[in-house]
Amino acid sequence: MKVPFLDLKAQYRQIKDEVLPAVENVFENTAFVMGKPVFDFEAKFAEIHNTNYCTALSAGTDGNHVALWGLDIQHGDEVIIPANTFIATAWGATLCGATPVFVDCHPESYNLDPAKLEAAITPKTKAIVAVHLYGQPADMDAILEIGKKHNIPVVEDAAQAHLSEYKGKKIGGLGVASSFSFYPGKNLGAYGEGGAVMTNDEELSTKFKMIRDHGAKQKYHHLMYGHNYRMEGIQGAVLGIKMKYINDWTEGRRRAAAKYREMLSDIDGIIVPKEMDYAKHVYHLFVIQVKGLDGQERTERRDALQKFLGENDIASGLHYPIPLHEQECFAHLGYKKGDFPVTEALAEQGLSLPMFPELTNEQIEYISEKMHEFFK
Ligand SMILES: Cc1ncc(COP(=O)(O)O)c(C=O)c1O
């Protein structure tokens, strides 16, 4: 049996008959950039997240940038971000000329650890970015409380967490702004690049829309600095169709995660991801950890497991093998190995198993059989 890491073809086949006419319609209307499909999508996406305003963008990375740009983050400012995330979270800060300041992640949620947050705040801290990594929300109440105490806005990086919930509330409108990615492999993926930034604040939303379109409300009247971060019409049309299915696909991921948990929980050598009491996890990724060993040894065991699964036609991934504070591009910031032990352990021993809504119980049973074989 062959198990891919994700199966975009299965999803395309499901919606092909609806997607192709919608794309053709964009061509017929020559609405190549922005246009009705994009605006309709913005309204729907904001609505399903109980958030007032959505600004569709050309990528999720742009969402990280626009959110902080809209908050006037600039050179000399510091922005706190988790060490355990994809690098695009940090680009939001660096593109504004600000310095990213890293914080370790919580050992169970794998997200920004509120207990370690306050120590990273300085008079230069101008924003905190909480990432809902792998599809599980960060502990927003605790993070927002610290933000409020120090008068620092909290931004959500929700690139991996469409429709996830924190204490029964949809993420996306919990902080002052939130960014999303619609990269094809995401829980809601475009057929190309795509992203969004959301907020409940009307003024901020107006600013986001101006930044997206050369700092203008009206063509050739540039009220502030901006950029071209507009979404393509085709992506708006594809995402609009996909919105009908996003709830079902999310439940598909949750079903697959529950099946994994049922099948793998008896393996002593691994830790399966925990769904926090406060969370509705949407399982963008299902990251297990190979446990009980030290440094080099656990990485060797993890890598051997990945190789063994690969030899049995089971694809897997690493998210993320090099924590941000150990990346060469941030060497000048002066961090060193050992600064963020929880994030480092995750990088050394984490392994992402196949995860997509169409993953069948038979495929998960096969993965489980091979995992048991390896750990025997
Ligand atoms: C946590 C996180 N933030 C931001 C991004 C950036 O999104 P995009 O690839 O759409 O630019 C990603 C994408 O992988 C991500 O995982």
Side-chain angles (χ1 to χ4, degrees), residues 59-61 64 85-86 88-89 131 133 157 159-160 181 183 186 194 320:
T61 307
N64 292 130
T85 182
F86 179 60
T89 311
V131 184
L133 203 68
D157 180 338
Q160 304 188 0
S181 166
Y183 185 74
K186 291 292 193 298
Y320 294 92

Side-chain angles (χ1 to χ4, degrees), residues 24 26 29 35 42 72 84-85 97 99 136 140 149 152 169 182 196 210 231 240 250 272 305 321 336 353 362:
E24 196 183 0
V26 171
N29 292 317
E42 287 180 335
D72 298 322
N84 183 39
T85 182
T99 304
Q136 169 140 268
M140 288 304 288
K149 182 172 157 197
I152 300 168
K169 280 193 245 160
F182 307 121
M210 284 200 284
M231 179 180 268
T250 301
V272 293
L305 171 62
K336 57 183 187 319
L353 299 180
E362 292 69 37

Side-chain angles (χ1 to χ4, degrees), residues 69-113:
W69 188 343
L71 292 171
D72 298 322
I73 303 302
Q74 51 193 282
H75 183 74
D77 294 344
E78 291 177 357
V79 176
I80 293 181
I81 70 164
N84 183 39
T85 182
F86 179 60
I87 196 138
T89 311
W91 296 152
T94 58
L95 285 164
C96 290
T99 304
V101 171
F102 303 121
V103 169
D104 207 354
C105 66
H106 183 274
E108 288 182 324
S109 75
Y110 308 151
N111 282 317
L112 185 68
D113 189 343

Side-chain angles (χ1 to χ4, degrees), residues 224-239:
M224 62 180 291
Y225 285 2
H227 196 47
N228 174 4
Y229 279 148
R230 296 176 303 227
M231 179 180 268
E232 293 179 345
I234 292 176
Q235 308 315 335
V238 170
L239 291 167

Side-chain angles (χ1 to χ4, degrees), residues 23-96:
V23 170
E24 196 183 0
N25 199 34
V26 171
F27 290 166
E28 287 293 343
N29 292 317
T30 62
F32 298 119
V33 178
M34 305 288 281
K36 190 171 183 308
V38 172
F39 300 134
D40 288 350
F41 167 68
E42 287 180 335
K44 282 189 220 156
F45 196 69
E47 192 189 331
I48 62 163
H49 287 92
N50 294 327
T51 302
N52 291 346
Y53 307 101
C54 172
T55 301
L57 303 169
S58 38
T61 307
D62 307 341
N64 292 130
H65 185 198
V66 172
L68 295 178
W69 188 343
L71 292 171
D72 298 322
I73 303 302
Q74 51 193 282
H75 183 74
D77 294 344
E78 291 177 357
V79 176
I80 293 181
I81 70 164
N84 183 39
T85 182
F86 179 60
I87 196 138
T89 311
W91 296 152
T94 58
L95 285 164
C96 290

Side-chain angles (χ1 to χ4, degrees), residues 315-331:
S316 58
L318 304 181
H319 300 89
Y320 294 92
I322 308 171
L324 293 199
H325 67 286
E326 292 181 48
Q327 294 288 350
E328 251 182 85
C329 64
F330 293 130

